[in-house]
């Protein structure tokens, strides 16, 4: 249980990453990804990378610059422009549903305008799921200058699009429904220089 703890990625640039074990592994027609990050990086960096053998950017949450997030599903992406980071924790949730091709983006408990993405697509199973690197091949192919440096916490992946109330609850770290990946019961392995430490601030 990683409650009140964080992964600290200490180096910049970094070859380190965290592998997350995901089960059961079935195609995803809907999902919500949430996580919290704290960094002073201004260069591009990957936060969450879910790759299959067929598609390296099956699900990717990527920050090319301080005022922009890119949310990928099946190799295609939409861009959400955000206020430039206040050098504080940022909580992000990205939701997607195949039936409507609707992509949602929430920053610190507030929704951004929804966008269209990959209607009718199915996210493949049997994935390599990594924090801190962007996969350009299944489980590897990293570019060190897309690596994450800083602190990550509160990583969740659900196989539904959360309701607005639950999106806000995720931001507030309140009780959440069972998830495919849950910070409170995460199966993970650390590769390289990543340290689990208590969270320093709210």
């Amino acid at each position: 249980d990683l409650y009140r703890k964080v992964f600290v990625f200490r180096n910049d640039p970094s070859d380190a990453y965290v592998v997350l074990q995901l089960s059961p592994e079935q195609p995803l027609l809907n999902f919500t990804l949430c996580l919290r990050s704290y960094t002073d990086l201004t260069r591009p960096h990957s936060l969450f990378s879910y790759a299959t053998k067929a598609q390296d950017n099956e699900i990717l949450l990527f920050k090319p610059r301080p005022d922009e997030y890119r949310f990928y599903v099946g190799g295609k992406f939409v861009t959400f422009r955000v206020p430039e980071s206040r050098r504080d924790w940022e909580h992000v949730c990205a939701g997607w549903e195949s039936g409507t091709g609707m992509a949602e983006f929430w920053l610190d408990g507030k929704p951004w305008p929804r966008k269209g993405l990959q209607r009718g697509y199915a996210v493949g199973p049997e994935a390599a799921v990594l924090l801190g690197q962007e996969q350009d091949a299944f489980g590897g192919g990293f570019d060190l200058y897309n690596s994450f440096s800083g602190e990550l916490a509160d990583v969740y992946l659900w196989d539904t699009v959360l309701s607005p109330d639950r999106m806000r609850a995720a931001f507030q770290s309140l009780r959440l429904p069972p998830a495919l990946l849950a910070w409170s019961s995460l199966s993970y392995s650390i590769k390289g220089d990543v340290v689990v430490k208590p969270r320093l601030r709210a």
Side-chain angles (χ1 to χ4, degrees), residues 89-123:
W89 282 97
E90 289 188 359
H91 184 266
V92 172
C93 288
W96 172 79
E97 55 186 29
S98 174
T100 59
M102 199 72 76
E104 290 190 21
F105 183 84
W106 293 66
L107 177 66
D108 294 338
K110 297 183 181 66
W112 256 233
R114 286 171 281 201
K115 299 192 175 186
L117 180 64
Q118 290 286 57
R119 188 174 188 167
Y121 188 77
V123 170

